[in-house]
Amino acid sequence: MPKRVDHEERRRQIADALLRTAAARGLHATGMREVAAEAGVSVRLVQYYFGTKEELLLAAMQHLAAQFGERALARINRLKQTQSPVNPRDVIAAILTQALPADDERRTFTVLWAAYFALSLTEPALAIAPLVKDSAAVIDVVAAQLRAGQAAGDTAASLDPDLEALSLAALSAGLGTSILAGQSSVEQAQAVIDYHLDRLFPASRPALRVRS
């Protein structure tokens, strides 16, 4: 009886191979041939699942975003083991801290995410809208936590949750770039995040700082 192929697992296998190859060679220098060799499959099979290099790159970036979400959720779940209910400030801290390149996984995320956005500026075939949508979803989660903080009286009712969430996301992204460039350390970046969250949540001090 022919062996059944898990197509989603095969797609993930190929996407993971692209991420590993791009982390070593750079996103711009990673093609289907290199990805196929890393995944241990044929170029034809890569083309079967991803018709073009652009489709493969987008799928890999979406896979990268999903991994980011899973790691952030794991941080939040750890908080739930010590807090009931979880402080909205700490949920936001978990999300923002996850975006700091404090280890190999997060450094790969920051480097490849930035590289894809940079390439998309000069390569019209690279789709950017799906990744913008993913980023917007993260911002929406942060805004929802700010609203929860307002409802609990932990943060000012006068602040605009949507604008503050957008500001925090931009802050986190900028800090990640600053760390990669050697302009600031992970500890300094974390201190900046804590500073801004303490400003937004003056009535709430975290029982547990979310560290790298």
Side-chain angles (χ1 to χ4, degrees):
M1 183 177 178
K3 182 179 179 181
R4 296 191 62 176
V5 177
D6 185 333
H7 294 290
E8 283 305 310
E9 177 58 31
R10 183 57 61 83
R11 286 176 63 88
R12 285 192 295 270
Q13 174 193 356
I14 295 172
D16 279 331
L18 183 143
L19 297 178
R20 290 193 302 272
T21 304
R25 299 169 57 91
L27 199 63
H28 65 287
T30 300
M32 286 191 165
R33 189 176 301 280
E34 292 80 13
V35 173
E38 176 66 25
V41 299
S42 67
V43 173
R44 185 180 296 275
L45 188 66
V46 175
Q47 292 171 329
Y48 171 79
Y49 284 104
F50 308 96
T52 65
K53 177 182 176 179
E54 289 76 19
E55 291 175 20
L56 174 58
L57 288 175
L58 175 59
M61 291 303 103
Q62 291 177 308
H63 183 50
L64 193 67
Q67 292 176 338
F68 171 92
E70 290 168 1
R71 289 194 293 269
L73 183 58
R75 284 175 174 267
I76 294 169
N77 286 336
R78 288 197 295 271
L79 286 174
K80 290 180 178 178
Q81 295 174 6
T82 59
Q83 298 182 29
S84 182
V86 178
N87 189 322
R89 181 203 185 283
D90 289 345
V91 174
I92 297 173
I95 295 170
L96 299 181
T97 299
Q98 183 56 46
L100 299 181
D103 53 38
D104 289 342
E105 283 187 334
R106 285 181 282 171
R107 187 181 188 282
T108 295
F109 171 85
T110 304
V111 169
L112 296 187
W113 196 262
Y116 186 93
F117 271 85
L119 284 175
S120 72
L121 297 177
T122 54
E123 295 288 343
L126 287 178
I128 199 66
L131 299 187
V132 171
K133 184 177 180 181
D134 289 340
S135 297
V138 174
I139 293 171
D140 288 344
V141 171
V142 174
Q145 291 301 316
L146 288 168
R147 291 188 179 92
Q150 287 177 319
D154 291 336
T155 191
S158 59
L159 67 79
D160 185 321
D162 294 312
L163 287 179
E164 293 289 355
L166 182 60
S167 298
L168 289 172
L171 171 72
S172 181
L175 289 172
T177 301
S178 178
I179 292 170
L180 291 180
Q183 184 178 9
S184 62
S185 66
V186 173
E187 292 75 20
Q188 288 172 324
Q190 182 67 62
V192 172
I193 289 174
D194 289 340
Y195 172 81
H196 283 279
L197 291 181
D198 285 343
R199 174 182 60 83
L200 292 171
F201 291 86
S204 174
R205 290 297 180 265
L208 176 66
R209 292 285 192 188
V210 181
R211 296 296 183 182
S212 58

